[in-house]
mmCIF file of all heavy atoms in Angstrom:
data_model
loop_
_atom_site.group_PDB
_atom_site.id
_atom_site.type_symbol
_atom_site.label_atom_id
_atom_site.label_comp_id
_atom_site.label_asym_id
_atom_site.label_seq_id
_atom_site.Cartn_x
_atom_site.Cartn_y
_atom_site.Cartn_z
ATOM 1 N N THR B 93 58.611 51.924 40.252
ATOM 2 C CA THR B 93 58.504 50.455 40.237
ATOM 3 C C THR B 93 59.891 49.826 40.314
ATOM 4 O O THR B 93 60.018 48.645 40.570
ATOM 5 C CB THR B 93 57.807 49.955 38.954
ATOM 6 O OG1 THR B 93 58.440 50.563 37.830
ATOM 7 C CG2 THR B 93 56.346 50.304 38.958
ATOM 8 N N ASP B 101 60.805 44.348 50.181
ATOM 9 C CA ASP B 101 61.593 43.351 50.902
ATOM 10 C C ASP B 101 62.042 43.899 52.258
ATOM 11 O O ASP B 101 62.019 43.192 53.269
ATOM 12 C CB ASP B 101 62.803 42.933 50.062
ATOM 13 C CG ASP B 101 62.408 42.014 48.912
ATOM 14 O OD1 ASP B 101 61.341 41.365 49.034
ATOM 15 O OD2 ASP B 101 63.139 41.947 47.904
ATOM 16 N N VAL B 115 53.894 49.856 50.667
ATOM 17 C CA VAL B 115 54.662 50.260 49.498
ATOM 18 C C VAL B 115 53.724 50.268 48.303
ATOM 19 O O VAL B 115 53.054 49.278 48.031
ATOM 20 C CB VAL B 115 55.812 49.267 49.239
ATOM 21 C CG1 VAL B 115 56.586 49.675 48.005
ATOM 22 C CG2 VAL B 115 56.724 49.194 50.450
ATOM 23 N N GLU B 213 59.705 54.852 27.564
ATOM 24 C CA GLU B 213 58.685 55.889 27.583
ATOM 25 C C GLU B 213 59.153 57.054 28.457
ATOM 26 O O GLU B 213 59.985 56.865 29.355
ATOM 27 C CB GLU B 213 57.361 55.329 28.109
ATOM 28 C CG GLU B 213 57.431 54.806 29.523
ATOM 29 C CD GLU B 213 56.210 53.973 29.883
ATOM 30 O OE1 GLU B 213 55.374 53.718 29.026
ATOM 31 O OE2 GLU B 213 56.108 53.590 31.058
ATOM 32 N N ARG B 216 60.510 57.535 32.510
ATOM 33 C CA ARG B 216 61.271 56.411 33.047
ATOM 34 C C ARG B 216 62.679 56.877 33.380
ATOM 35 O O ARG B 216 63.313 57.585 32.582
ATOM 36 C CB ARG B 216 61.361 55.293 32.008
ATOM 37 C CG ARG B 216 60.050 54.607 31.743
ATOM 38 C CD ARG B 216 59.886 53.419 32.650
ATOM 39 N NE ARG B 216 58.563 52.829 32.480
ATOM 40 C CZ ARG B 216 58.094 51.842 33.238
ATOM 41 N NH1 ARG B 216 58.843 51.351 34.218
ATOM 42 N NH2 ARG B 216 56.904 51.356 33.040
ATOM 43 N N ILE B 243 58.389 52.365 21.350
ATOM 44 C CA ILE B 243 58.558 52.740 22.746
ATOM 45 C C ILE B 243 58.315 51.516 23.620
ATOM 46 O O ILE B 243 57.418 50.723 23.337
ATOM 47 C CB ILE B 243 57.530 53.830 23.117
ATOM 48 C CG1 ILE B 243 57.777 55.096 22.295
ATOM 49 C CG2 ILE B 243 57.562 54.126 24.602
ATOM 50 C CD1 ILE B 243 58.751 56.057 22.899
ATOM 51 N N ASN B 247 61.378 47.091 32.422
ATOM 52 C CA ASN B 247 62.641 46.473 32.042
ATOM 53 C C ASN B 247 62.464 45.082 31.445
ATOM 54 O O ASN B 247 63.145 44.707 30.511
ATOM 55 C CB ASN B 247 63.563 46.382 33.260
ATOM 56 C CG ASN B 247 64.180 47.722 33.585
ATOM 57 O OD1 ASN B 247 64.247 48.603 32.731
ATOM 58 N ND2 ASN B 247 64.617 47.904 34.819
ATOM 59 N N LYS B 253 61.819 42.415 24.257
ATOM 60 C CA LYS B 253 61.718 42.917 22.889
ATOM 61 C C LYS B 253 63.086 43.047 22.234
ATOM 62 O O LYS B 253 63.236 42.791 21.044
ATOM 63 C CB LYS B 253 60.974 44.239 22.880
ATOM 64 C CG LYS B 253 59.488 44.023 23.197
ATOM 65 C CD LYS B 253 58.653 45.236 22.938
ATOM 66 C CE LYS B 253 57.181 44.860 23.086
ATOM 67 N NZ LYS B 253 56.311 46.025 22.974
ATOM 68 N N PHE B 268 69.971 43.601 33.951
ATOM 69 C CA PHE B 268 69.025 42.769 33.213
ATOM 70 C C PHE B 268 69.649 42.026 32.054
ATOM 71 O O PHE B 268 69.020 41.202 31.425
ATOM 72 C CB PHE B 268 67.862 43.641 32.697
ATOM 73 C CG PHE B 268 66.827 43.891 33.737
ATOM 74 C CD1 PHE B 268 67.055 44.785 34.766
ATOM 75 C CD2 PHE B 268 65.636 43.199 33.712
ATOM 76 C CE1 PHE B 268 66.112 45.005 35.734
ATOM 77 C CE2 PHE B 268 64.685 43.416 34.688
ATOM 78 C CZ PHE B 268 64.918 44.313 35.698
ATOM 79 N N LEU C 382 51.497 46.752 25.112
ATOM 80 C CA LEU C 382 52.677 45.906 25.013
ATOM 81 C C LEU C 382 53.013 45.517 23.583
ATOM 82 O O LEU C 382 54.103 45.034 23.324
ATOM 83 C CB LEU C 382 52.482 44.640 25.855
ATOM 84 C CG LEU C 382 52.407 44.878 27.365
ATOM 85 C CD1 LEU C 382 52.140 43.595 28.103
ATOM 86 C CD2 LEU C 382 53.692 45.517 27.872
ATOM 87 N N GLY C 385 53.746 49.302 20.002
ATOM 88 C CA GLY C 385 54.970 50.026 19.669
ATOM 89 C C GLY C 385 55.002 51.447 20.193
ATOM 90 O O GLY C 385 56.062 51.988 20.428
ATOM 91 N N ARG C 386 53.819 52.040 20.356
ATOM 92 C CA ARG C 386 53.700 53.366 20.953
ATOM 93 C C ARG C 386 54.601 54.412 20.309
ATOM 94 O O ARG C 386 55.212 55.227 20.993
ATOM 95 C CB ARG C 386 53.957 53.278 22.458
ATOM 96 C CG ARG C 386 52.825 52.575 23.166
ATOM 97 C CD ARG C 386 52.956 52.725 24.648
ATOM 98 N NE ARG C 386 53.829 51.735 25.216
ATOM 99 C CZ ARG C 386 54.475 51.885 26.360
ATOM 100 N NH1 ARG C 386 54.359 53.003 27.041
ATOM 101 N NH2 ARG C 386 55.237 50.927 26.827
ATOM 102 N N ARG C 404 53.806 48.415 11.169
ATOM 103 C CA ARG C 404 54.821 49.206 11.854
ATOM 104 C C ARG C 404 54.277 49.730 13.182
ATOM 105 O O ARG C 404 53.066 49.843 13.349
ATOM 106 C CB ARG C 404 55.221 50.406 10.981
ATOM 107 C CG ARG C 404 55.795 50.021 9.640
ATOM 108 C CD ARG C 404 57.146 49.358 9.803
ATOM 109 N NE ARG C 404 57.751 49.089 8.490
ATOM 110 C CZ ARG C 404 58.974 48.613 8.332
ATOM 111 N NH1 ARG C 404 59.720 48.343 9.387
ATOM 112 N NH2 ARG C 404 59.451 48.394 7.131
ATOM 113 N N ALA C 520 58.917 41.412 48.446
ATOM 114 C CA ALA C 520 58.406 41.707 47.120
ATOM 115 C C ALA C 520 57.878 40.467 46.427
ATOM 116 O O ALA C 520 56.810 40.471 45.835
ATOM 117 C CB ALA C 520 59.501 42.348 46.288
ATOM 118 N N ARG C 597 44.225 56.399 50.231
ATOM 119 C CA ARG C 597 43.966 55.263 49.378
ATOM 120 C C ARG C 597 42.986 54.337 50.074
ATOM 121 O O ARG C 597 43.174 54.039 51.248
ATOM 122 C CB ARG C 597 45.257 54.519 49.217
ATOM 123 C CG ARG C 597 45.525 54.147 47.831
ATOM 124 C CD ARG C 597 46.892 53.699 47.790
ATOM 125 N NE ARG C 597 47.712 54.881 47.592
ATOM 126 C CZ ARG C 597 48.752 54.840 46.808
ATOM 127 N NH1 ARG C 597 49.064 53.728 46.243
ATOM 128 N NH2 ARG C 597 49.452 55.918 46.621
ATOM 129 N N PHE C 681 51.402 48.047 46.870
ATOM 130 C CA PHE C 681 52.110 46.858 46.432
ATOM 131 C C PHE C 681 52.436 45.965 47.625
ATOM 132 O O PHE C 681 52.415 44.757 47.543
ATOM 133 C CB PHE C 681 53.391 47.294 45.719
ATOM 134 C CG PHE C 681 54.295 46.158 45.362
ATOM 135 C CD1 PHE C 681 53.870 45.177 44.491
ATOM 136 C CD2 PHE C 681 55.563 46.075 45.904
ATOM 137 C CE1 PHE C 681 54.701 44.131 44.162
ATOM 138 C CE2 PHE C 681 56.396 45.021 45.576
ATOM 139 C CZ PHE C 681 55.965 44.050 44.700
ATOM 140 N N PHE C 682 52.669 46.599 48.749
ATOM 141 C CA PHE C 682 53.066 45.810 49.910
ATOM 142 C C PHE C 682 52.646 46.510 51.189
ATOM 143 O O PHE C 682 52.628 47.734 51.256
ATOM 144 C CB PHE C 682 54.594 45.624 49.937
ATOM 145 C CG PHE C 682 55.076 44.829 51.107
ATOM 146 C CD1 PHE C 682 55.077 43.441 51.057
ATOM 147 C CD2 PHE C 682 55.474 45.459 52.281
ATOM 148 C CE1 PHE C 682 55.492 42.703 52.158
ATOM 149 C CE2 PHE C 682 55.879 44.718 53.373
ATOM 150 C CZ PHE C 682 55.891 43.338 53.314
ATOM 151 N N GLN C 708 56.960 44.572 35.863
ATOM 152 C CA GLN C 708 57.573 45.775 35.318
ATOM 153 C C GLN C 708 59.093 45.717 35.311
ATOM 154 O O GLN C 708 59.712 45.596 34.270
ATOM 155 C CB GLN C 708 57.127 46.993 36.143
ATOM 156 C CG GLN C 708 55.745 47.453 35.809
ATOM 157 C CD GLN C 708 55.695 48.101 34.448
ATOM 158 O OE1 GLN C 708 56.394 49.038 34.169
ATOM 159 N NE2 GLN C 708 54.865 47.548 33.582
ATOM 160 N N ASP C 709 59.690 45.798 36.474
ATOM 161 C CA ASP C 709 61.099 46.138 36.522
ATOM 162 C C ASP C 709 61.984 45.178 37.290
ATOM 163 O O ASP C 709 63.186 45.372 37.345
ATOM 164 C CB ASP C 709 61.254 47.527 37.170
ATOM 165 C CG ASP C 709 60.978 48.617 36.151
ATOM 166 O OD1 ASP C 709 61.148 48.319 34.965
ATOM 167 O OD2 ASP C 709 60.603 49.716 36.541
#
Side-chain angles (χ1 to χ4, degrees):
Chain B
T93 50
D101 285 336
V115 179
E213 61 194 6
R216 291 269 175 186
I243 297 272
N247 283 339
K253 289 192 172 174
F268 278 75
Chain C
L382 293 177
R386 289 191 275 156
R404 300 292 185 174
R597 226 168 273 219
F681 173 62
F682 180 84
Q708 282 289 304
D709 279 335

